[in-house]
Amino acid sequence: DTGVSQDPRHKITKRGQNVTFRCDPISEHNRLYWYRQTLGQGPEFLTYFQNEAQLEKSRLLSDRFSAERPKGSFSTLEIQRTEQGDSAMYLCASSFWEVGGTEAFFGQGTRLTVV
Amino acid sequence: AQSVTQLGSHVSVSEGALVLLRCNYSSSVPPYLFWYVQYPNQGLQLLLKYTSAATLVKGINGFEAEFKKSETSFHLTKPSAHMSDAAEYFCAVRGAGGTSYGKLTFGQGTILTVHP
């Protein structure tokens, strides 16, 4: 297994456009998390899934943001009508959530620049 | 609710010197504590974690951290810095139970610079 994979690694978009990011977790992991990291800050939790169920959403996740994990495998994060304030690194992580399970492994992130 | 405060946004040491990165936490439930490292334009890599077993935790690359409940601290140390340790380090907390179970709350990070 090559770890958590995120695509694309970099995205530049014009304000007002929609963007979609993909995350492929480690294959046996049942939990998937999205975090956002702005320059000079630590990652901030956005949302997480257990299998295909979205169990929690941060208030940071405005109505313009939507995340899915349709078959409990890969996940997508869509941002509609992007704003300059959306410019950040979007990190995906996965873990195996059982007794004796693993902690979160992070992907390399998708860096979004809104111009 | 949980939070983490990292004291010092930048730390600079000479190669071979002691590394000390400070982290204090606040948690209403027994905490699990973590240190992650991030190299430029990369994701986060887990260095070590405290999960209520031994209070002195050893991690990868020669790093260790000590959980001190009385001081609500979880400082990261390494006896001798290497140039390759230059990176940004994040302390994080999650609850061992309750509604915060699972998600991590991160500090603002400390950038470590190592001088030759």
Side-chain angles (χ1 to χ4, degrees):
Chain A
D1 198 324
T2 56
V4 178
S5 177
Q6 291 189 245
D7 184 69
R9 291 290 312 278
H10 302 274
K11 177 71 177 179
I12 299 173
T13 191
K14 292 183 178 179
R15 189 172 51 188
Q17 297 294 305
N18 298 345
V19 294
T20 300
F21 310 140
R22 178 181 170 120
C23 172
D24 287 273
I26 294 172
S27 58
E28 64 269 24
H29 284 185
N30 54 4
R31 277 202 176 179
L32 186 148
Y33 309 80
W34 285 99
Y35 289 81
R36 181 173 71 183
Q37 185 179 19
T38 53
L39 202 61
Q41 301 294 319
E44 296 173 294
F45 170 80
L46 292 178
T47 188
Y48 85 90
F49 295 83
Q50 180 149 321
N51 300 313
E52 65 275 11
Q54 188 172 18
L55 296 188
E56 188 174 348
K57 294 194 293 186
S58 162
R59 62 177 183 271
L60 292 175
L61 214 64
S62 75
D63 291 345
R64 297 185 296 105
F65 287 70
S66 62
E68 295 182 343
R69 195 183 183 197
K71 297 183 179 179
S73 57
F74 73 92
S75 174
T76 59
L77 177 68
E78 182 184 16
I79 309 174
Q80 296 182 327
R81 304 180 303 281
T82 52
E83 302 173 357
Q84 286 190 322
D86 297 331
S87 295
M89 174 82 89
Y90 290 84
L91 293 164
C92 176
S94 69
S95 68
F96 180 64
W97 199 256
E98 294 288 349
V99 174
T102 70
E103 299 301 335
F105 288 81
F106 283 80
Q108 293 188 311
T110 294
R111 181 168 294 284
L112 173 67
T113 302
V114 181
V115 297
Chain B
Q2 291 139 340
S3 66
V4 164
T5 301
Q6 291 184 239
L7 303 175
S9 58
H10 290 80
V11 170
S12 181
V13 301
S14 299
E15 193 173 17
L18 171 71
V19 175
L20 171 60
L21 305 182
R22 300 177 187 273
C23 172
N24 288 88
Y25 71 90
S26 172
S27 178
S28 56
V29 298
Y32 284 3
L33 292 157
F34 307 84
W35 277 98
Y36 283 86
V37 61
Q38 186 177 36
Y39 297 97
N41 295 312
Q42 299 293 317
L44 288 89
Q45 180 183 7
L46 181 65
L47 278 177
L48 50 80
K49 64 181 181 183
Y50 165 77
T51 57
S52 76
T55 56
L56 182 62
V57 180
K58 294 187 183 300
I60 62 171
N61 301 337
F63 285 94
E64 63 181 38
E66 186 172 8
F67 173 72
K68 292 187 176 181
K69 185 177 179 180
S70 61
E71 298 177 9
T72 61
S73 70
F74 190 58
H75 300 333
L76 181 71
T77 60
K78 182 174 180 177
S80 177
H82 295 159
M83 297 296 290
S84 60
D85 295 327
E88 189 162 18
Y89 292 79
F90 293 95
C91 184
V93 63
R94 70 167 173 86
T99 56
S100 59
Y101 197 46
K103 69 183 185 187
L104 294 164
T105 299
F106 287 87
Q108 291 191 314
T110 298
I111 295 173
L112 175 66
T113 303
V114 181
H115 297 289

